[in-house]
Amino acid sequence: MDTSMNNLSLSDSKEGDKNTAKKEPIVCIVIGMAGSGKTTLMQSLTEHLQEKEDPFYVLNLDPAVRHVPYSLNIDIRDTVKYKEVMKQYNLGPNGAIVTSLNLFATKFDQVLGLLDKRAPSLDYILMDTPGQIEIFTWSASGSIITESVASTYPTVLVYVIDTPRTTSPSTFMSNMLYACSILYKTKLPMILAFNKVDITSHEFAKEWMTDFDAFNAAVQNDDSYMSGLTRSMSLVLDEFYNNLRTVGVSAATGQGMDEFFATVKEAAKEYNDYYKPEIERLKKKKDKKESERQEEQLRKFRVDLESNKGQHVALDGRNKDGIAELDKKLAEESDYREEYGESEEDDE
């Protein structure tokens, strides 16, 4: 018996009882580098929604987190025991997180079932992801979870950036490249949430994204070996910047929360206008392909039925010639026993 995985433990949110009108909640998948402040930002987001009395639901997808400073509705740790996974499968920390997500993904249909029941009374669904960003964004289980919610509800990716650490052009470019890769992999609307603006303003980042000359001037002061590559990549990412929304927030002080949720609503509108039709087109294409496959199987069945029309069909699954051959062998064996006086009891 697998001791690392328990029955899926799900709890209902009290916030969802306040509004029963039918609607589609907006799903915010919060991702970011380790130390960028995802969990603290999640705490600020939930406190802001509680203050505004907006109904919401919270999911934690990090099996290795020790403490979560906000209330959860669905917690992966209630279903998968991270340390037990390490012991049972003889894995290291990262391997155990991946395996835990894989195990949880096998029960994600139950999560979707609960969300379907609660969705008409919710405004937002917030999802916190593991601190090791690549574990969620590039794993099969991460793709399954993302695609499952994105095919059902308006979904927005929130990429959290540690603003003070991004003041270096090379670090800034590294974040942009990673965000770009995630954007084109998931094909979902993305918001760049520059966190910790109470320490360092994100205005320099907004300027770098819109003014190549300003970024080039900053690169000139960077004498590292990365400066040449950084300058070249900034030209390549120009189109990428045009499809992004940015917002400055502070998880510590709650600064920028109103602007953040206003930006989320804009991204959700983009999802409905552009992403949802594409998802529906792909779904129809898949359904059509499956329908054609079933029709082809039915056609082959009819052809086989017509070709065998009027012929003897063995009910036990063997063909007619095979049955006759078996009967012949049994008869020969019976004659042999009678001729030499042997019986089945002698064999025993």
Side-chain angles (χ1 to χ4, degrees), residues 94-117:
N94 288 346
I97 294 176
V98 173
T99 303
S100 298
L101 277 173
N102 290 341
L103 292 171
F104 187 74
T106 63
K107 291 194 173 185
F108 201 72
D109 59 321
Q110 297 181 35
V111 176
L112 290 176
L114 183 62
L115 291 179
D116 287 341
K117 295 178 182 178

PDB file of all heavy atoms in Angstrom, residues 94-117:
ATOM      1  N   ASN A  94      14.122  17.573  -5.038  1.00  0.00           N
ATOM      2  CA  ASN A  94      13.438  17.970  -6.269  1.00  0.00           C
ATOM      3  C   ASN A  94      12.688  16.807  -6.900  1.00  0.00           C
ATOM      4  O   ASN A  94      11.569  16.965  -7.413  1.00  0.00           O
ATOM      5  CB  ASN A  94      14.449  18.551  -7.267  1.00  0.00           C
ATOM      6  CG  ASN A  94      14.941  19.924  -6.849  1.00  0.00           C
ATOM      7  OD1 ASN A  94      14.365  20.570  -5.978  1.00  0.00           O
ATOM      8  ND2 ASN A  94      16.028  20.375  -7.458  1.00  0.00           N
ATOM      9  N   GLY A  95      13.300  15.628  -6.888  1.00  0.00           N
ATOM     10  CA  GLY A  95      12.626  14.460  -7.448  1.00  0.00           C
ATOM     11  C   GLY A  95      11.360  14.128  -6.682  1.00  0.00           C
ATOM     12  O   GLY A  95      10.357  13.698  -7.274  1.00  0.00           O
ATOM     13  N   ALA A  96      11.377  14.326  -5.378  1.00  0.00           N
ATOM     14  CA  ALA A  96      10.193  14.056  -4.564  1.00  0.00           C
ATOM     15  C   ALA A  96       9.073  15.052  -4.862  1.00  0.00           C
ATOM     16  O   ALA A  96       7.892  14.687  -4.857  1.00  0.00           O
ATOM     17  CB  ALA A  96      10.563  14.106  -3.081  1.00  0.00           C
ATOM     18  N   ILE A  97       9.436  16.304  -5.126  1.00  0.00           N
ATOM     19  CA  ILE A  97       8.421  17.309  -5.468  1.00  0.00           C
ATOM     20  C   ILE A  97       7.762  16.957  -6.793  1.00  0.00           C
ATOM     21  O   ILE A  97       6.532  17.015  -6.940  1.00  0.00           O
ATOM     22  CB  ILE A  97       9.047  18.717  -5.530  1.00  0.00           C
ATOM     23  CG1 ILE A  97       9.520  19.153  -4.143  1.00  0.00           C
ATOM     24  CG2 ILE A  97       8.037  19.732  -6.069  1.00  0.00           C
ATOM     25  CD1 ILE A  97      10.249  20.491  -4.125  1.00  0.00           C
ATOM     26  N   VAL A  98       8.574  16.573  -7.789  1.00  0.00           N
ATOM     27  CA  VAL A  98       8.030  16.189  -9.090  1.00  0.00           C
ATOM     28  C   VAL A  98       7.099  14.989  -8.946  1.00  0.00           C
ATOM     29  O   VAL A  98       5.984  14.965  -9.499  1.00  0.00           O
ATOM     30  CB  VAL A  98       9.166  15.869 -10.086  1.00  0.00           C
ATOM     31  CG1 VAL A  98       8.599  15.296 -11.383  1.00  0.00           C
ATOM     32  CG2 VAL A  98       9.982  17.118 -10.391  1.00  0.00           C
ATOM     33  N   THR A  99       7.547  13.971  -8.197  1.00  0.00           N
ATOM     34  CA  THR A  99       6.740  12.771  -8.012  1.00  0.00           C
ATOM     35  C   THR A  99       5.454  13.084  -7.255  1.00  0.00           C
ATOM     36  O   THR A  99       4.380  12.551  -7.571  1.00  0.00           O
ATOM     37  CB  THR A  99       7.551  11.694  -7.262  1.00  0.00           C
ATOM     38  OG1 THR A  99       8.756  11.424  -7.984  1.00  0.00           O
ATOM     39  CG2 THR A  99       6.748  10.408  -7.121  1.00  0.00           C
ATOM     40  N   SER A 100       5.537  13.966  -6.255  1.00  0.00           N
ATOM     41  CA  SER A 100       4.345  14.363  -5.502  1.00  0.00           C
ATOM     42  C   SER A 100       3.334  15.049  -6.414  1.00  0.00           C
ATOM     43  O   SER A 100       2.121  14.780  -6.332  1.00  0.00           O
ATOM     44  CB  SER A 100       4.738  15.292  -4.347  1.00  0.00           C
ATOM     45  OG  SER A 100       5.591  14.639  -3.429  1.00  0.00           O
ATOM     46  N   LEU A 101       3.818  15.922  -7.282  1.00  0.00           N
ATOM     47  CA  LEU A 101       2.925  16.582  -8.243  1.00  0.00           C
ATOM     48  C   LEU A 101       2.308  15.572  -9.199  1.00  0.00           C
ATOM     49  O   LEU A 101       1.127  15.676  -9.553  1.00  0.00           O
ATOM     50  CB  LEU A 101       3.691  17.650  -9.025  1.00  0.00           C
ATOM     51  CG  LEU A 101       3.842  19.022  -8.363  1.00  0.00           C
ATOM     52  CD1 LEU A 101       4.770  19.907  -9.192  1.00  0.00           C
ATOM     53  CD2 LEU A 101       2.486  19.700  -8.210  1.00  0.00           C
ATOM     54  N   ASN A 102       3.108  14.592  -9.627  1.00  0.00           N
ATOM     55  CA  ASN A 102       2.586  13.567 -10.528  1.00  0.00           C
ATOM     56  C   ASN A 102       1.465  12.772  -9.855  1.00  0.00           C
ATOM     57  O   ASN A 102       0.435  12.476 -10.479  1.00  0.00           O
ATOM     58  CB  ASN A 102       3.703  12.616 -10.960  1.00  0.00           C
ATOM     59  CG  ASN A 102       4.705  13.281 -11.886  1.00  0.00           C
ATOM     60  OD1 ASN A 102       4.424  14.321 -12.489  1.00  0.00           O
ATOM     61  ND2 ASN A 102       5.892  12.705 -11.987  1.00  0.00           N
ATOM     62  N   LEU A 103       1.670  12.409  -8.587  1.00  0.00           N
ATOM     63  CA  LEU A 103       0.644  11.682  -7.850  1.00  0.00           C
ATOM     64  C   LEU A 103      -0.615  12.524  -7.680  1.00  0.00           C
ATOM     65  O   LEU A 103      -1.737  12.024  -7.825  1.00  0.00           O
ATOM     66  CB  LEU A 103       1.191  11.255  -6.482  1.00  0.00           C
ATOM     67  CG  LEU A 103       2.305  10.196  -6.486  1.00  0.00           C
ATOM     68  CD1 LEU A 103       2.899  10.044  -5.092  1.00  0.00           C
ATOM     69  CD2 LEU A 103       1.768   8.858  -6.982  1.00  0.00           C
ATOM     70  N   PHE A 104      -0.433  13.798  -7.380  1.00  0.00           N
ATOM     71  CA  PHE A 104      -1.584  14.694  -7.193  1.00  0.00           C
ATOM     72  C   PHE A 104      -2.341  14.888  -8.504  1.00  0.00           C
ATOM     73  O   PHE A 104      -3.571  14.991  -8.506  1.00  0.00           O
ATOM     74  CB  PHE A 104      -1.106  16.036  -6.645  1.00  0.00           C
ATOM     75  CG  PHE A 104      -2.223  16.963  -6.263  1.00  0.00           C
ATOM     76  CD1 PHE A 104      -2.967  16.737  -5.114  1.00  0.00           C
ATOM     77  CD2 PHE A 104      -2.521  18.069  -7.034  1.00  0.00           C
ATOM     78  CE1 PHE A 104      -3.996  17.589  -4.746  1.00  0.00           C
ATOM     79  CE2 PHE A 104      -3.543  18.936  -6.679  1.00  0.00           C
ATOM     80  CZ  PHE A 104      -4.290  18.695  -5.533  1.00  0.00           C
ATOM     81  N   ALA A 105      -1.606  14.942  -9.613  1.00  0.00           N
ATOM     82  CA  ALA A 105      -2.238  15.144 -10.921  1.00  0.00           C
ATOM     83  C   ALA A 105      -3.183  14.000 -11.270  1.00  0.00           C
ATOM     84  O   ALA A 105      -4.156  14.197 -12.003  1.00  0.00           O
ATOM     85  CB  ALA A 105      -1.174  15.304 -12.004  1.00  0.00           C
ATOM     86  N   THR A 106      -2.902  12.799 -10.743  1.00  0.00           N
ATOM     87  CA  THR A 106      -3.781  11.663 -11.026  1.00  0.00           C
ATOM     88  C   THR A 106      -5.150  11.825 -10.375  1.00  0.00           C
ATOM     89  O   THR A 106      -6.106  11.148 -10.766  1.00  0.00           O
ATOM     90  CB  THR A 106      -3.155  10.343 -10.517  1.00  0.00           C
ATOM     91  OG1 THR A 106      -3.007  10.400  -9.093  1.00  0.00           O
ATOM     92  CG2 THR A 106      -1.786  10.114 -11.157  1.00  0.00           C
ATOM     93  N   LYS A 107      -5.248  12.713  -9.381  1.00  0.00           N
ATOM     94  CA  LYS A 107      -6.527  12.958  -8.715  1.00  0.00           C
ATOM     95  C   LYS A 107      -7.072  14.358  -9.010  1.00  0.00           C
ATOM     96  O   LYS A 107      -8.009  14.817  -8.353  1.00  0.00           O
ATOM     97  CB  LYS A 107      -6.367  12.791  -7.192  1.00  0.00           C
ATOM     98  CG  LYS A 107      -6.120  11.358  -6.763  1.00  0.00           C
ATOM     99  CD  LYS A 107      -6.304  11.207  -5.265  1.00  0.00           C
ATOM    100  CE  LYS A 107      -6.226   9.744  -4.859  1.00  0.00           C
ATOM    101  NZ  LYS A 107      -6.532   9.561  -3.414  1.00  0.00           N
ATOM    102  N   PHE A 108      -6.486  15.030  -9.992  1.00  0.00           N
ATOM    103  CA  PHE A 108      -6.886  16.417 -10.230  1.00  0.00           C
ATOM    104  C   PHE A 108      -8.302  16.515 -10.787  1.00  0.00           C
ATOM    105  O   PHE A 108      -8.911  17.578 -10.728  1.00  0.00           O
ATOM    106  CB  PHE A 108      -5.903  17.108 -11.175  1.00  0.00           C
ATOM    107  CG  PHE A 108      -5.937  18.605 -11.084  1.00  0.00           C
ATOM    108  CD1 PHE A 108      -5.428  19.259  -9.973  1.00  0.00           C
ATOM    109  CD2 PHE A 108      -6.506  19.373 -12.089  1.00  0.00           C
ATOM    110  CE1 PHE A 108      -5.480  20.635  -9.866  1.00  0.00           C
ATOM    111  CE2 PHE A 108      -6.557  20.750 -11.996  1.00  0.00           C
ATOM    112  CZ  PHE A 108      -6.049  21.382 -10.880  1.00  0.00           C
ATOM    113  N   ASP A 109      -8.827  15.420 -11.326  1.00  0.00           N
ATOM    114  CA  ASP A 109     -10.206  15.451 -11.798  1.00  0.00           C
ATOM    115  C   ASP A 109     -11.165  15.679 -10.627  1.00  0.00           C
ATOM    116  O   ASP A 109     -12.221  16.317 -10.786  1.00  0.00           O
ATOM    117  CB  ASP A 109     -10.557  14.146 -12.518  1.00  0.00           C
ATOM    118  CG  ASP A 109     -10.372  12.933 -11.616  1.00  0.00           C
ATOM    119  OD1 ASP A 109      -9.390  12.908 -10.844  1.00  0.00           O
ATOM    120  OD2 ASP A 109     -11.197  12.007 -11.697  1.00  0.00           O
ATOM    121  N   GLN A 110     -10.785  15.204  -9.424  1.00  0.00           N
ATOM    122  CA  GLN A 110     -11.603  15.447  -8.241  1.00  0.00           C
ATOM    123  C   GLN A 110     -11.564  16.924  -7.850  1.00  0.00           C
ATOM    124  O   GLN A 110     -12.569  17.485  -7.419  1.00  0.00           O
ATOM    125  CB  GLN A 110     -11.105  14.591  -7.076  1.00  0.00           C
ATOM    126  CG  GLN A 110     -11.217  13.089  -7.318  1.00  0.00           C
ATOM    127  CD  GLN A 110     -10.726  12.283  -6.136  1.00  0.00           C
ATOM    128  OE1 GLN A 110     -10.905  12.689  -4.989  1.00  0.00           O
ATOM    129  NE2 GLN A 110     -10.103  11.140  -6.392  1.00  0.00           N
ATOM    130  N   VAL A 111     -10.397  17.532  -8.024  1.00  0.00           N
ATOM    131  CA  VAL A 111     -10.266  18.966  -7.741  1.00  0.00           C
ATOM    132  C   VAL A 111     -11.162  19.762  -8.696  1.00  0.00           C
ATOM    133  O   VAL A 111     -11.889  20.665  -8.275  1.00  0.00           O
ATOM    134  CB  VAL A 111      -8.800  19.416  -7.880  1.00  0.00           C
ATOM    135  CG1 VAL A 111      -8.685  20.924  -7.676  1.00  0.00           C
ATOM    136  CG2 VAL A 111      -7.914  18.683  -6.884  1.00  0.00           C
ATOM    137  N   LEU A 112     -11.118  19.413  -9.975  1.00  0.00           N
ATOM    138  CA  LEU A 112     -11.952  20.104 -10.962  1.00  0.00           C
ATOM    139  C   LEU A 112     -13.429  19.910 -10.655  1.00  0.00           C
ATOM    140  O   LEU A 112     -14.238  20.827 -10.841  1.00  0.00           O
ATOM    141  CB  LEU A 112     -11.635  19.587 -12.366  1.00  0.00           C
ATOM    142  CG  LEU A 112     -10.267  19.968 -12.935  1.00  0.00           C
ATOM    143  CD1 LEU A 112     -10.055  19.304 -14.287  1.00  0.00           C
ATOM    144  CD2 LEU A 112     -10.118  21.471 -13.060  1.00  0.00           C
ATOM    145  N   GLY A 113     -13.786  18.718 -10.182  1.00  0.00           N
ATOM    146  CA  GLY A 113     -15.181  18.469  -9.839  1.00  0.00           C
ATOM    147  C   GLY A 113     -15.658  19.371  -8.720  1.00  0.00           C
ATOM    148  O   GLY A 113     -16.780  19.899  -8.764  1.00  0.00           O
ATOM    149  N   LEU A 114     -14.808  19.566  -7.708  1.00  0.00           N
ATOM    150  CA  LEU A 114     -15.171  20.454  -6.609  1.00  0.00           C
ATOM    151  C   LEU A 114     -15.217  21.910  -7.075  1.00  0.00           C
ATOM    152  O   LEU A 114     -16.118  22.663  -6.697  1.00  0.00           O
ATOM    153  CB  LEU A 114     -14.180  20.309  -5.460  1.00  0.00           C
ATOM    154  CG  LEU A 114     -14.488  21.148  -4.214  1.00  0.00           C
ATOM    155  CD1 LEU A 114     -15.824  20.726  -3.604  1.00  0.00           C
ATOM    156  CD2 LEU A 114     -13.393  21.026  -3.182  1.00  0.00           C
ATOM    157  N   LEU A 115     -14.258  22.294  -7.907  1.00  0.00           N
ATOM    158  CA  LEU A 115     -14.248  23.668  -8.416  1.00  0.00           C
ATOM    159  C   LEU A 115     -15.497  23.948  -9.246  1.00  0.00           C
ATOM    160  O   LEU A 115     -16.041  25.061  -9.205  1.00  0.00           O
ATOM    161  CB  LEU A 115     -12.992  23.911  -9.259  1.00  0.00           C
ATOM    162  CG  LEU A 115     -11.656  23.934  -8.509  1.00  0.00           C
ATOM    163  CD1 LEU A 115     -10.505  24.151  -9.482  1.00  0.00           C
ATOM    164  CD2 LEU A 115     -11.643  25.010  -7.434  1.00  0.00           C
ATOM    165  N   ASP A 116     -15.959  22.955 -10.007  1.00  0.00           N
ATOM    166  CA  ASP A 116     -17.173  23.138 -10.812  1.00  0.00           C
ATOM    167  C   ASP A 116     -18.377  23.439  -9.926  1.00  0.00           C
ATOM    168  O   ASP A 116     -19.254  24.236 -10.288  1.00  0.00           O
ATOM    169  CB  ASP A 116     -17.445  21.877 -11.642  1.00  0.00           C
ATOM    170  CG  ASP A 116     -16.480  21.733 -12.804  1.00  0.00           C
ATOM    171  OD1 ASP A 116     -15.853  22.754 -13.174  1.00  0.00           O
ATOM    172  OD2 ASP A 116     -16.344  20.614 -13.342  1.00  0.00           O
ATOM    173  N   LYS A 117     -18.420  22.797  -8.764  1.00  0.00           N
ATOM    174  CA  LYS A 117     -19.533  23.036  -7.852  1.00  0.00           C
ATOM    175  C   LYS A 117     -19.454  24.425  -7.219  1.00  0.00           C
ATOM    176  O   LYS A 117     -20.485  25.064  -6.982  1.00  0.00           O
ATOM    177  CB  LYS A 117     -19.530  21.974  -6.743  1.00  0.00           C
ATOM    178  CG  LYS A 117     -19.800  20.563  -7.247  1.00  0.00           C
ATOM    179  CD  LYS A 117     -19.743  19.565  -6.097  1.00  0.00           C
ATOM    180  CE  LYS A 117     -19.956  18.137  -6.593  1.00  0.00           C
ATOM    181  NZ  LYS A 117     -19.863  17.151  -5.475  1.00  0.00           N
TER     182      LYS A 117
END
